[in-house]
Amino acid sequence: MPPTPPKRRGLPPLVLALCYAALISLPLLPALLTGQGHGQAAMRLATGAGVAAAAMILLQMITSGRFEAISGRIGIDITMAFHKWAAPVALLLALVHVLAVIGLPDPDRPGRLSRRVELVLSGPGLWEARLALILLAVLVVLALLRDRLGMRYQIWRAGHALGAVTLVALIAWHAVEDGRAGALAAAVWILFALGVTLPALWVYAVRLVRPAGQGWTLREARPAGERLWLLRVAPPEGGDLCFEPGQFAWVAFGRKRLPLHDHPFSIASAPGEAELRFLVQEAGDFTNGVGQLAPGTRVSVDAPHGSFVPRGEGPLVLVAGGVGVAPILSILSHLAQSRSRRPVRFLYAARSAEAMVPPDLYRPACAALGVVPMLVSDRAEQGGALLRGPLTRAHLAEAFEGLDPANCEVMTCGPGPMMTFVADMVLKMGVPMQAISYERFSYAAGRASAKDRRILSGFAALWSGVAALVLIYWLA
Ligand SMILES: Cc1cc2nc3c(=O)[nH]c(=O)nc-3n(C[C@H](O)[C@H](O)[C@H](O)COP(=O)(O)OP(=O)(O)OC[C@H]3O[C@@H](n4cnc5c(N)ncnc54)[C@H](O)[C@@H]3O)c2cc1C
Protein backbone atom coordinates (compact mmCIF):
# COMPACT_ATOMS: atom_id res chain seq x y z
CA MET A 1 0.00 0.00 0.00
CA PRO A 2 1.63 3.29 -1.09
CA PRO A 3 2.20 5.76 1.79
CA THR A 4 -0.03 8.83 2.01
CA PRO A 5 1.42 11.49 -0.28
CA PRO A 6 2.97 14.48 1.49
CA LYS A 7 0.74 17.52 1.98
CA ARG A 8 0.95 19.91 -0.95
CA ARG A 9 3.39 22.60 0.10
CA GLY A 10 3.85 26.15 -1.11
CA LEU A 11 1.76 29.28 -1.42
CA PRO A 12 -0.55 29.98 -4.39
CA PRO A 13 0.89 32.33 -7.07
CA LEU A 14 -1.46 35.22 -6.27
CA VAL A 15 -0.55 35.17 -2.57
CA LEU A 16 3.15 35.11 -3.50
CA ALA A 17 2.73 38.06 -5.91
CA LEU A 18 0.85 40.08 -3.26
CA CYS A 19 3.49 39.35 -0.59
CA TYR A 20 6.24 40.35 -3.02
CA ALA A 21 4.53 43.64 -3.92
CA ALA A 22 3.80 44.34 -0.24
CA LEU A 23 7.41 43.73 0.85
CA ILE A 24 8.73 46.05 -1.86
CA SER A 25 6.21 48.81 -1.09
CA LEU A 26 6.65 48.59 2.67
CA PRO A 27 9.85 50.70 2.95
CA LEU A 28 8.27 53.42 0.77
CA LEU A 29 4.84 53.51 2.42
CA PRO A 30 5.60 55.72 5.46
CA ALA A 31 6.96 58.53 3.27
CA LEU A 32 4.11 58.08 0.77
CA LEU A 33 1.40 58.19 3.42
CA THR A 34 2.84 61.12 5.37
CA GLY A 35 4.07 63.02 2.30
CA GLN A 36 7.47 63.43 4.01
CA GLY A 37 9.62 62.37 1.07
CA HIS A 38 12.70 64.30 -0.10
CA GLY A 39 11.97 67.89 -1.23
CA GLN A 40 13.75 67.49 -4.59
CA ALA A 41 11.92 65.45 -7.23
CA ALA A 42 15.16 63.89 -8.54
CA MET A 43 16.10 62.71 -5.06
CA ARG A 44 12.62 61.25 -4.58
CA LEU A 45 13.14 59.29 -7.80
CA ALA A 46 16.56 58.21 -6.55
CA THR A 47 15.10 57.05 -3.24
CA GLY A 48 12.11 55.30 -4.81
CA ALA A 49 14.22 53.43 -7.37
CA GLY A 50 16.96 52.65 -4.82
CA VAL A 51 14.55 51.29 -2.24
CA ALA A 52 12.69 49.15 -4.81
CA ALA A 53 16.00 47.80 -6.20
CA ALA A 54 17.30 47.02 -2.70
CA ALA A 55 14.09 45.25 -1.66
CA MET A 56 14.04 43.21 -4.88
CA ILE A 57 17.66 42.13 -4.37
CA LEU A 58 17.02 41.12 -0.77
CA LEU A 59 14.01 39.05 -1.87
CA GLN A 60 16.23 37.20 -4.37
CA MET A 61 17.66 35.38 -1.35
CA ILE A 62 14.42 33.46 -0.87
CA THR A 63 13.52 32.87 -4.52
CA SER A 64 16.55 30.67 -5.17
CA GLY A 65 14.49 27.48 -5.54
CA ARG A 66 15.31 25.94 -2.14
CA PHE A 67 12.24 27.25 -0.29
CA GLU A 68 9.28 24.93 -0.60
CA ALA A 69 6.93 27.64 0.75
CA ILE A 70 7.74 29.56 -2.43
CA SER A 71 8.46 26.97 -5.10
CA GLY A 72 6.38 24.09 -3.66
CA ARG A 73 3.25 25.00 -5.60
CA ILE A 74 4.42 27.16 -8.51
CA GLY A 75 7.27 24.76 -9.28
CA ILE A 76 11.02 25.14 -9.59
CA ASP A 77 10.79 26.18 -13.26
CA ILE A 78 8.72 29.28 -12.55
CA THR A 79 10.66 30.08 -9.37
CA MET A 80 13.99 29.96 -11.21
CA ALA A 81 12.63 31.99 -14.15
CA PHE A 82 11.44 34.64 -11.69
CA HIS A 83 14.78 34.63 -9.86
CA LYS A 84 16.64 34.93 -13.16
CA TRP A 85 14.65 37.87 -14.58
CA ALA A 86 14.09 39.81 -11.34
CA ALA A 87 17.84 40.41 -11.06
CA PRO A 88 18.25 42.46 -14.30
CA VAL A 89 15.11 44.44 -13.36
CA ALA A 90 16.66 45.23 -9.96
CA LEU A 91 19.92 46.21 -11.71
CA LEU A 92 17.97 48.58 -13.97
CA LEU A 93 16.32 50.20 -10.94
CA ALA A 94 19.71 50.49 -9.22
CA LEU A 95 21.05 52.33 -12.31
CA VAL A 96 18.01 54.65 -12.26
CA HIS A 97 18.85 55.30 -8.59
CA VAL A 98 22.43 56.32 -9.48
CA LEU A 99 21.40 58.42 -12.49
CA ALA A 100 18.75 60.22 -10.44
CA VAL A 101 21.34 60.99 -7.75
CA ILE A 102 23.52 62.56 -10.47
CA GLY A 103 20.54 64.41 -11.93
CA LEU A 104 20.31 66.53 -15.07
CA PRO A 105 22.57 69.50 -15.95
CA ASP A 106 21.24 72.70 -14.38
CA PRO A 107 22.14 75.93 -16.27
CA ASP A 108 21.62 77.91 -13.03
CA ARG A 109 24.20 75.81 -11.17
CA PRO A 110 27.26 75.32 -13.39
CA GLY A 111 29.59 72.56 -12.25
CA ARG A 112 26.86 70.78 -10.27
CA LEU A 113 26.70 67.83 -12.68
CA SER A 114 30.46 67.17 -12.55
CA ARG A 115 30.42 67.49 -8.75
CA ARG A 116 27.63 64.91 -8.58
CA VAL A 117 29.44 62.55 -10.94
CA GLU A 118 32.55 62.91 -8.83
CA LEU A 119 30.56 62.24 -5.67
CA VAL A 120 29.09 59.05 -7.15
CA LEU A 121 32.42 57.84 -8.53
CA SER A 122 34.80 58.76 -5.73
CA GLY A 123 32.98 60.68 -3.00
CA PRO A 124 33.62 59.58 0.59
CA GLY A 125 31.24 57.27 2.46
CA LEU A 126 29.82 55.60 -0.64
CA TRP A 127 32.31 52.77 -1.16
CA GLU A 128 29.77 50.14 -0.11
CA ALA A 129 27.22 51.48 -2.63
CA ARG A 130 29.77 51.41 -5.47
CA LEU A 131 30.86 47.91 -4.54
CA ALA A 132 27.23 46.75 -4.34
CA LEU A 133 26.45 48.08 -7.82
CA ILE A 134 29.53 46.45 -9.35
CA LEU A 135 28.83 43.17 -7.57
CA LEU A 136 25.19 43.19 -8.68
CA ALA A 137 26.21 43.80 -12.29
CA VAL A 138 28.82 41.00 -12.14
CA LEU A 139 26.33 38.53 -10.60
CA VAL A 140 23.69 39.34 -13.22
CA VAL A 141 26.07 39.10 -16.19
CA LEU A 142 27.70 35.86 -14.96
CA ALA A 143 24.29 34.28 -14.34
CA LEU A 144 22.93 35.22 -17.77
CA LEU A 145 26.09 34.15 -19.63
CA ARG A 146 27.03 31.17 -17.44
CA ASP A 147 26.52 28.47 -20.06
CA ARG A 148 28.46 30.44 -22.68
CA LEU A 149 31.40 31.14 -20.37
CA GLY A 150 32.07 27.42 -19.88
CA MET A 151 32.44 27.92 -16.12
CA ARG A 152 32.04 24.82 -13.91
CA TYR A 153 28.53 24.82 -12.46
CA GLN A 154 29.64 24.11 -8.87
CA ILE A 155 32.16 26.96 -8.94
CA TRP A 156 29.60 29.33 -10.38
CA ARG A 157 27.01 28.26 -7.80
CA ALA A 158 29.36 28.73 -4.82
CA GLY A 159 30.51 32.13 -6.16
CA HIS A 160 26.92 33.18 -6.80
CA ALA A 161 25.85 32.30 -3.23
CA LEU A 162 28.86 34.04 -1.67
CA GLY A 163 28.36 37.10 -3.89
CA ALA A 164 24.66 37.23 -2.98
CA VAL A 165 25.30 37.23 0.78
CA THR A 166 27.97 39.93 0.37
CA LEU A 167 25.60 42.00 -1.77
CA VAL A 168 22.86 41.83 0.88
CA ALA A 169 25.35 42.94 3.55
CA LEU A 170 26.52 45.87 1.37
CA ILE A 171 22.95 46.97 0.67
CA ALA A 172 22.00 46.87 4.35
CA TRP A 173 25.21 48.78 5.14
CA HIS A 174 24.40 51.43 2.51
CA ALA A 175 20.83 51.85 3.81
CA VAL A 176 22.08 52.28 7.39
CA GLU A 177 25.17 54.37 6.53
CA ASP A 178 23.12 56.75 4.41
CA GLY A 179 21.16 57.52 7.56
CA ARG A 180 18.86 60.04 5.88
CA ALA A 181 15.77 57.92 6.37
CA GLY A 182 16.25 57.80 10.15
CA ALA A 183 16.86 55.16 12.79
CA LEU A 184 13.53 53.39 12.23
CA ALA A 185 14.22 52.91 8.52
CA ALA A 186 17.74 51.65 9.32
CA ALA A 187 16.27 49.12 11.75
CA VAL A 188 13.73 48.02 9.11
CA TRP A 189 16.52 47.43 6.57
CA ILE A 190 18.59 45.42 9.04
CA LEU A 191 15.58 43.29 9.96
CA PHE A 192 14.69 42.87 6.28
CA ALA A 193 18.23 41.76 5.43
CA LEU A 194 18.35 39.34 8.37
CA GLY A 195 14.82 38.09 7.57
CA VAL A 196 15.88 36.94 4.12
CA THR A 197 19.47 35.93 4.81
CA LEU A 198 18.99 33.81 7.93
CA PRO A 199 16.38 31.45 6.37
CA ALA A 200 18.63 31.09 3.31
CA LEU A 201 21.68 30.32 5.48
CA TRP A 202 19.57 28.01 7.63
CA VAL A 203 18.44 25.97 4.60
CA TYR A 204 22.10 25.40 3.71
CA ALA A 205 23.36 24.98 7.29
CA VAL A 206 20.77 22.32 8.17
CA ARG A 207 21.81 20.23 5.20
CA LEU A 208 25.49 20.83 5.81
CA VAL A 209 25.47 19.58 9.40
CA ARG A 210 23.37 16.51 8.64
CA PRO A 211 25.46 13.35 8.77
CA ALA A 212 26.49 12.52 5.20
CA GLY A 213 24.35 9.84 3.63
CA GLN A 214 21.87 9.44 6.48
CA GLY A 215 21.77 5.74 5.78
CA TRP A 216 20.87 5.73 2.06
CA THR A 217 23.21 3.48 0.08
CA LEU A 218 23.75 2.70 -3.56
CA ARG A 219 22.62 -0.80 -4.53
CA GLU A 220 23.93 -0.59 -8.05
CA ALA A 221 24.68 1.73 -10.95
CA ARG A 222 23.92 -0.08 -14.16
CA PRO A 223 23.94 1.06 -17.79
CA ALA A 224 20.44 1.97 -18.99
CA GLY A 225 21.20 3.39 -22.45
CA GLU A 226 23.77 5.44 -24.33
CA ARG A 227 25.72 7.35 -21.60
CA LEU A 228 22.72 6.77 -19.36
CA TRP A 229 22.80 5.09 -15.92
CA LEU A 230 20.17 3.61 -13.68
CA LEU A 231 20.99 4.14 -10.00
CA ARG A 232 19.18 2.00 -7.43
CA VAL A 233 19.36 3.45 -3.94
CA ALA A 234 18.37 1.52 -0.81
CA PRO A 235 16.70 3.37 2.07
CA PRO A 236 18.08 3.44 5.61
CA GLU A 237 16.82 0.59 7.76
CA GLY A 238 13.19 1.17 8.66
CA GLY A 239 13.18 4.42 6.70
CA ASP A 240 11.50 5.45 3.51
CA LEU A 241 10.74 8.63 1.63
CA CYS A 242 7.33 10.22 1.22
CA PHE A 243 7.05 11.89 -2.15
CA GLU A 244 4.65 12.38 -5.03
CA PRO A 245 5.26 10.80 -8.44
CA GLY A 246 7.23 13.18 -10.66
CA GLN A 247 9.11 14.97 -7.86
CA PHE A 248 12.87 15.28 -7.68
CA ALA A 249 15.65 14.96 -5.09
CA TRP A 250 18.94 16.77 -4.47
CA VAL A 251 21.53 14.01 -4.38
CA ALA A 252 25.20 13.74 -3.41
CA PHE A 253 27.44 10.65 -3.23
CA GLY A 254 30.09 9.37 -0.86
CA ARG A 255 31.83 11.99 1.27
CA LYS A 256 30.43 14.82 -0.89
CA ARG A 257 27.87 16.68 1.18
CA LEU A 258 24.57 18.39 0.68
CA PRO A 259 24.13 21.19 -0.26
CA LEU A 260 27.59 22.08 -1.59
CA HIS A 261 27.91 19.19 -4.00
CA ASP A 262 24.33 18.11 -4.63
CA HIS A 263 22.63 17.81 -7.99
CA PRO A 264 18.93 17.57 -8.78
CA PHE A 265 17.60 14.29 -10.20
CA SER A 266 14.01 13.24 -10.78
CA ILE A 267 12.93 10.17 -8.86
CA ALA A 268 12.19 7.46 -11.41
CA SER A 269 10.64 4.98 -8.96
CA ALA A 270 7.10 5.22 -7.58
CA PRO A 271 6.23 6.29 -4.03
CA GLY A 272 6.07 3.31 -1.69
CA GLU A 273 8.64 1.17 -3.51
CA ALA A 274 11.42 -0.46 -1.52
CA GLU A 275 14.11 1.66 -3.24
CA LEU A 276 14.64 4.96 -4.98
CA ARG A 277 15.68 4.85 -8.61
CA PHE A 278 17.33 7.61 -10.59
CA LEU A 279 18.19 7.79 -14.26
CA VAL A 280 21.33 9.81 -14.83
CA GLN A 281 22.48 11.06 -18.23
CA GLU A 282 26.18 11.86 -18.53
CA ALA A 283 26.33 15.62 -18.96
CA GLY A 284 29.47 16.88 -17.19
CA ASP A 285 31.98 16.35 -14.35
CA PHE A 286 29.56 14.91 -11.84
CA THR A 287 27.27 12.82 -14.02
CA ASN A 288 30.16 11.41 -16.09
CA GLY A 289 31.38 9.63 -12.94
CA VAL A 290 28.17 7.98 -11.70
CA GLY A 291 28.84 4.79 -13.66
CA GLN A 292 31.98 4.22 -11.54
CA LEU A 293 30.17 4.44 -8.20
CA ALA A 294 30.55 1.21 -6.25
CA PRO A 295 27.63 -0.58 -4.61
CA GLY A 296 27.47 0.43 -0.94
CA THR A 297 28.46 4.07 -1.63
CA ARG A 298 26.67 6.43 0.75
CA VAL A 299 24.00 8.58 -0.89
CA SER A 300 22.76 11.86 0.58
CA VAL A 301 19.17 12.55 -0.42
CA ASP A 302 17.30 15.81 0.14
CA ALA A 303 13.73 15.33 -1.05
CA PRO A 304 10.98 15.67 -2.03
CA HIS A 305 11.06 18.79 -4.19
CA GLY A 306 9.19 20.01 -7.23
CA SER A 307 5.61 20.17 -8.41
CA PHE A 308 5.76 18.14 -11.64
CA VAL A 309 3.00 15.91 -10.35
CA PRO A 310 -0.22 14.81 -12.10
CA ARG A 311 -3.13 16.79 -10.65
CA GLY A 312 -6.07 16.11 -12.99
CA GLU A 313 -8.58 13.29 -13.14
CA GLY A 314 -9.25 13.05 -16.88
CA PRO A 315 -7.09 11.44 -19.56
CA LEU A 316 -3.36 11.90 -19.07
CA VAL A 317 -0.94 12.26 -21.98
CA LEU A 318 2.71 11.75 -20.97
CA VAL A 319 5.40 12.88 -23.42
CA ALA A 320 9.01 12.06 -22.53
CA GLY A 321 12.21 12.93 -24.36
CA GLY A 322 15.61 11.39 -23.53
CA VAL A 323 16.40 11.29 -19.80
CA GLY A 324 13.20 13.31 -19.25
CA VAL A 325 11.56 9.90 -19.09
CA ALA A 326 12.70 9.65 -15.42
CA PRO A 327 9.78 11.46 -13.72
CA ILE A 328 7.36 9.97 -16.28
CA LEU A 329 8.44 6.44 -15.22
CA SER A 330 7.58 7.34 -11.63
CA ILE A 331 4.17 8.64 -12.70
CA LEU A 332 3.44 5.55 -14.84
CA SER A 333 4.43 3.15 -12.03
CA HIS A 334 2.40 5.09 -9.49
CA LEU A 335 -0.71 5.06 -11.69
CA ALA A 336 -0.28 1.31 -12.20
CA GLN A 337 0.26 0.62 -8.49
CA SER A 338 -2.72 2.71 -7.45
CA ARG A 339 -4.85 0.97 -10.13
CA SER A 340 -5.72 4.30 -11.69
CA ARG A 341 -8.63 4.27 -14.12
CA ARG A 342 -7.42 7.40 -15.93
CA PRO A 343 -6.94 6.82 -19.65
CA VAL A 344 -3.18 7.21 -20.19
CA ARG A 345 -1.11 7.74 -23.34
CA PHE A 346 2.68 7.48 -23.29
CA LEU A 347 4.94 8.92 -25.98
CA TYR A 348 8.69 8.40 -25.56
CA ALA A 349 11.16 10.02 -27.94
CA ALA A 350 14.94 9.59 -28.07
CA ARG A 351 17.87 10.13 -30.43
CA SER A 352 18.10 6.43 -31.15
CA ALA A 353 16.91 3.04 -29.93
CA GLU A 354 20.22 2.70 -28.02
CA ALA A 355 19.53 5.93 -26.12
CA MET A 356 16.23 4.58 -24.78
CA VAL A 357 15.86 3.02 -21.34
CA PRO A 358 15.23 -0.76 -21.25
CA PRO A 359 11.54 -1.63 -21.77
CA ASP A 360 11.42 -3.45 -18.41
CA LEU A 361 11.39 0.01 -16.78
CA TYR A 362 8.02 0.97 -18.33
CA ARG A 363 6.43 -2.12 -19.91
CA PRO A 364 4.98 -3.64 -16.68
CA ALA A 365 3.29 -0.34 -15.72
CA CYS A 366 2.05 0.17 -19.29
CA ALA A 367 0.66 -3.37 -19.37
CA ALA A 368 -1.17 -2.84 -16.07
CA LEU A 369 -2.67 0.42 -17.37
CA GLY A 370 -3.46 -0.97 -20.82
CA VAL A 371 -1.14 1.58 -22.42
CA VAL A 372 0.61 0.91 -25.72
CA PRO A 373 3.82 3.00 -25.58
CA MET A 374 4.51 5.10 -28.68
CA LEU A 375 8.30 5.00 -29.15
CA VAL A 376 9.85 7.59 -31.43
CA SER A 377 13.48 7.52 -32.50
CA ASP A 378 15.32 10.12 -34.58
CA ARG A 379 17.33 7.29 -36.11
CA ALA A 380 14.54 4.76 -36.56
CA GLU A 381 15.43 2.02 -39.03
CA GLN A 382 13.09 1.54 -41.96
CA GLY A 383 10.57 -1.15 -41.09
CA GLY A 384 11.51 -1.17 -37.37
CA ALA A 385 9.00 -1.08 -34.50
CA LEU A 386 9.89 2.52 -33.65
CA LEU A 387 8.20 5.56 -35.14
CA ARG A 388 10.42 7.93 -37.09
CA GLY A 389 11.39 11.07 -35.13
CA PRO A 390 11.82 13.83 -34.29
CA LEU A 391 8.45 14.29 -32.65
CA THR A 392 5.84 15.86 -34.93
CA ARG A 393 2.28 17.09 -34.74
CA ALA A 394 1.20 13.81 -36.36
CA HIS A 395 2.70 11.80 -33.47
CA LEU A 396 0.88 13.98 -30.95
CA ALA A 397 -2.38 13.72 -32.91
CA GLU A 398 -2.01 9.92 -32.84
CA ALA A 399 -1.43 9.99 -29.08
CA PHE A 400 -4.66 11.98 -28.61
CA GLU A 401 -6.75 9.67 -30.82
CA GLY A 402 -10.17 9.10 -29.23
CA LEU A 403 -9.54 11.71 -26.50
CA ASP A 404 -11.06 15.17 -26.16
CA PRO A 405 -8.01 17.47 -25.74
CA ALA A 406 -10.14 19.89 -23.68
CA ASN A 407 -10.40 17.24 -20.91
CA CYS A 408 -6.79 16.05 -21.06
CA GLU A 409 -3.84 16.76 -18.82
CA VAL A 410 -0.47 16.82 -20.63
CA MET A 411 2.86 16.36 -18.85
CA THR A 412 6.08 16.59 -20.78
CA CYS A 413 9.72 16.34 -19.75
CA GLY A 414 12.75 16.29 -22.02
CA PRO A 415 15.04 18.61 -23.98
CA GLY A 416 13.92 22.29 -23.85
CA PRO A 417 13.01 22.64 -27.55
CA MET A 418 10.95 19.43 -27.41
CA MET A 419 8.97 20.64 -24.38
CA THR A 420 8.32 24.00 -26.04
CA PHE A 421 7.12 22.22 -29.19
CA VAL A 422 4.85 19.84 -27.26
CA ALA A 423 3.42 22.56 -24.99
CA ASP A 424 2.62 24.87 -27.94
CA MET A 425 1.26 22.10 -30.14
CA VAL A 426 -1.10 20.56 -27.57
CA LEU A 427 -2.31 24.07 -26.70
CA LYS A 428 -3.22 24.54 -30.38
CA MET A 429 -4.94 21.16 -30.31
CA GLY A 430 -7.23 22.42 -27.53
CA VAL A 431 -5.61 21.31 -24.26
CA PRO A 432 -6.20 24.08 -21.66
CA MET A 433 -2.99 25.94 -20.72
CA GLN A 434 -3.37 25.15 -17.02
CA ALA A 435 -3.54 21.42 -17.86
CA ILE A 436 -0.09 21.49 -19.54
CA SER A 437 2.93 21.04 -17.30
CA TYR A 438 6.63 20.58 -17.92
CA GLU A 439 9.85 20.55 -15.97
CA ARG A 440 13.19 21.78 -17.25
CA PHE A 441 16.41 19.96 -16.42
CA SER A 442 18.41 23.01 -17.48
CA TYR A 443 17.63 26.66 -16.77
CA ALA A 444 19.63 27.85 -19.77
CA ALA A 445 17.69 30.12 -22.08
CA GLY A 446 15.80 28.56 -24.95
CA ARG A 447 12.77 29.42 -27.06
CA ALA A 448 9.86 30.23 -24.79
CA SER A 449 6.52 28.43 -25.15
CA ALA A 450 3.17 30.26 -25.14
CA LYS A 451 2.82 29.20 -21.50
CA ASP A 452 6.30 30.59 -20.68
CA ARG A 453 5.28 33.88 -22.33
CA ARG A 454 2.09 33.99 -20.26
CA ILE A 455 4.14 33.45 -17.10
CA LEU A 456 6.68 36.10 -18.16
CA SER A 457 3.86 38.57 -18.79
CA GLY A 458 2.67 37.87 -15.21
CA PHE A 459 6.18 38.73 -13.95
CA ALA A 460 6.23 41.84 -16.16
CA ALA A 461 2.89 42.96 -14.68
CA LEU A 462 4.31 42.58 -11.18
CA TRP A 463 7.48 44.53 -11.99
CA SER A 464 5.41 47.20 -13.80
CA GLY A 465 3.53 47.55 -10.51
CA VAL A 466 6.87 48.13 -8.75
CA ALA A 467 7.84 50.73 -11.41
CA ALA A 468 4.44 52.42 -10.98
CA LEU A 469 5.05 52.63 -7.23
CA VAL A 470 8.42 54.30 -7.85
CA LEU A 471 6.74 56.78 -10.23
CA ILE A 472 4.00 57.56 -7.68
CA TYR A 473 6.68 58.14 -5.04
CA TRP A 474 8.62 60.37 -7.43
CA LEU A 475 5.64 62.49 -8.41
CA ALA A 476 3.95 62.54 -4.98
C1 LIG B 1 14.48 19.60 -11.42
C2 LIG B 1 15.58 18.88 -12.17
C3 LIG B 1 15.51 17.52 -12.34
C4 LIG B 1 16.53 16.83 -13.02
N1 LIG B 1 16.43 15.49 -13.21
C5 LIG B 1 17.40 14.83 -13.88
C6 LIG B 1 17.32 13.41 -14.08
O1 LIG B 1 16.39 12.75 -13.63
N2 LIG B 1 18.34 12.82 -14.77
C7 LIG B 1 19.41 13.52 -15.28
O2 LIG B 1 20.29 12.92 -15.88
N3 LIG B 1 19.48 14.87 -15.11
C8 LIG B 1 18.53 15.53 -14.42
N4 LIG B 1 18.64 16.88 -14.23
C9 LIG B 1 19.82 17.58 -14.76
C10 LIG B 1 21.02 17.29 -13.86
O3 LIG B 1 20.83 17.87 -12.59
C11 LIG B 1 22.28 17.88 -14.49
O4 LIG B 1 22.48 17.27 -15.74
C12 LIG B 1 23.48 17.58 -13.64
O5 LIG B 1 23.39 18.27 -12.42
C13 LIG B 1 24.73 17.95 -14.42
O6 LIG B 1 25.84 17.98 -13.55
P1 LIG B 1 27.35 17.73 -14.08
O7 LIG B 1 28.27 18.19 -13.02
O8 LIG B 1 27.50 16.36 -14.57
O9 LIG B 1 27.45 18.63 -15.33
P2 LIG B 1 27.90 20.14 -15.43
O10 LIG B 1 28.74 20.29 -16.62
O11 LIG B 1 28.40 20.64 -14.11
O12 LIG B 1 26.48 20.79 -15.68
C14 LIG B 1 25.78 20.69 -16.90
C15 LIG B 1 24.54 21.56 -16.75
O13 LIG B 1 23.67 20.96 -15.79
C16 LIG B 1 23.07 21.97 -14.97
N5 LIG B 1 23.45 21.73 -13.57
C17 LIG B 1 24.62 21.28 -13.09
N6 LIG B 1 24.61 21.18 -11.77
C18 LIG B 1 23.40 21.62 -11.38
C19 LIG B 1 22.79 21.81 -10.13
N7 LIG B 1 23.42 21.51 -8.99
N8 LIG B 1 21.53 22.32 -10.12
C20 LIG B 1 20.88 22.62 -11.25
N9 LIG B 1 21.41 22.46 -12.47
C21 LIG B 1 22.64 21.98 -12.54
C22 LIG B 1 23.59 23.30 -15.46
O14 LIG B 1 22.66 23.85 -16.38
C23 LIG B 1 24.85 22.95 -16.15
O15 LIG B 1 25.19 23.86 -17.15
C24 LIG B 1 17.64 17.56 -13.54
C25 LIG B 1 17.71 18.94 -13.35
C26 LIG B 1 16.70 19.60 -12.67
C27 LIG B 1 16.80 21.08 -12.48
Side-chain angles (χ1 to χ4, degrees):
M1 164 106 171
T4 329
K7 224 173 109 225
R8 202 169 169 196
R9 292 173 290 178
L11 297 168
L14 189 63
V15 174
L16 287 174
L18 289 175
C19 291
Y20 188 79
L23 283 168
I24 290 177
S25 351
L26 215 63
L28 287 175
L29 273 188
L32 258 181
L33 294 178
T34 58
Q36 284 176 348
H38 200 288
Q40 278 178 25
M43 288 314 285
R44 279 202 305 279
L45 175 62
T47 309
V51 164
M56 283 178 73
I57 294 162
L58 296 195
L59 289 172
Q60 288 291 87
M61 294 293 284
I62 50 172
T63 58
S64 61
R66 293 274 175 151
F67 289 86
E68 282 299 298
I70 291 166
S71 58
R73 192 169 300 215
I74 60 172
I76 187 119
D77 249 25
I78 296 181
T79 312
M80 293 319 291
F82 185 83
H83 186 79
K84 176 172 163 183
W85 292 116
V89 176
L91 176 60
L92 203 70
L93 282 167
L95 291 173
V96 171
H97 168 69
V98 175
L99 291 177
V101 168
I102 294 172
L104 293 171
D106 183 349
D108 296 334
R109 286 191 280 171
R112 178 185 168 278
L113 190 67
S114 52
R115 280 198 303 279
R116 285 292 177 126
V117 172
E118 204 180 311
L119 170 81
V120 164
L121 291 181
S122 56
L126 281 178
W127 64 268
E128 76 287 342
R130 277 177 224 117
L131 214 58
L133 188 64
I134 294 168
L135 187 55
L136 173 61
V138 170
L139 287 177
V140 170
V141 170
L142 284 185
L144 293 179
L145 298 181
R146 180 178 54 78
D147 276 342
R148 269 176 256 170
L149 296 176
M151 192 183 281
R152 269 190 64 197
Y153 189 87
Q154 302 307 310
I155 295 185
W156 171 80
R157 191 169 69 159
H160 193 74
L162 215 65
V165 174
T166 314
L167 183 58
V168 166
L170 289 171
I171 286 172
W173 186 290
H174 181 49
V176 173
E177 181 78 0
D178 182 64
R180 256 170 282 184
L184 182 64
V188 167
W189 279 113
I190 291 174
L191 284 178
F192 196 163
L194 288 175
V196 291
T197 313
L198 292 181
L201 292 178
W202 176 252
V203 162
Y204 281 87
V206 162
R207 286 160 175 80
L208 201 60
V209 297
R210 258 188 222 158
Q214 286 182 307
W216 293 87
T217 44
L218 186 71
R219 275 197 181 131
E220 68 163 338
R222 70 165 141 103
E226 223 171 28
R227 305 184 65 208
L228 184 63
W229 297 89
L230 177 73
L231 306 188
R232 295 176 51 225
V233 178
E237 223 175 275
D240 90 29
L241 181 69
C242 248
F243 63 97
E244 291 184 279
Q247 288 194 294
F248 73 91
W250 290 92
V251 180
F253 296 99
R255 289 174 183 278
K256 299 264 167 87
R257 301 188 74 106
L258 302 166
L260 302 178
H261 298 282
D262 56 6
H263 290 249
F265 294 106
S266 298
I267 303 171
S269 47
E273 288 190 45
E275 64 180 16
L276 286 182
R277 284 189 298 279
F278 298 100
L279 273 174
V280 179
Q281 183 76 61
E282 291 182 16
D285 308 342
F286 176 80
T287 45
N288 288 352
V290 294
Q292 277 84 59
L293 290 170
T297 303
R298 282 191 305 196
V299 186
S300 300
V301 177
D302 171 20
H305 293 279
S307 63
F308 185 66
V309 172
R311 302 279 177 208
E313 297 191 339
L316 175 63
V317 178
L318 300 166
V319 187
V323 71
V325 75
I328 306 276
L329 291 178
S330 170
I331 294 168
L332 276 172
S333 303
H334 171 73
L335 292 172
Q337 284 170 17
S338 56
R339 297 181 207 284
S340 165
R341 302 178 73 92
R342 294 181 74 175
V344 177
R345 303 287 160 86
F346 172 45
L347 239 165
Y348 175 25
R351 287 187 310 278
S352 63
E354 297 76 50
M356 286 183 168
V357 296
D360 63 296
L361 290 182
Y362 56 83
R363 279 263 155 79
C366 286
L369 293 166
V371 173
V372 180
M374 284 176 66
L375 307 178
V376 182
S377 159
D378 294 359
R379 273 192 259 139
E381 300 291 318
Q382 281 270 312
L386 306 182
L387 299 166
R388 182 70 199 237
L391 213 60
T392 60
R393 184 189 179 122
H395 294 127
L396 289 173
E398 198 180 326
F400 274 87
E401 228 166 63
L403 302 178
D404 174 5
N407 295 330
C408 289
E409 179 180 10
V410 177
M411 299 183 72
T412 178
C413 188
M418 186 208 88
M419 287 192 288
T420 301
F421 168 75
V422 172
D424 283 351
M425 200 47 79
V426 299
L427 186 69
K428 280 194 195 135
M429 288 164 69
V431 179
M433 193 178 267
Q434 68 275 13
I436 304 169
S437 50
Y438 42 88
E439 183 160 81
R440 284 193 174 74
F441 281 3
S442 160
Y443 308 127
R447 201 173 70 78
S449 68
K451 184 166 177 157
D452 292 329
R453 290 195 294 275
R454 169 77 65 85
I455 292 163
L456 283 175
S457 56
F459 296 168
L462 187 57
W463 294 322
S464 304
V466 172
L469 186 83
V470 172
L471 281 183
I472 293 170
Y473 185 80
W474 178 24
L475 302 173

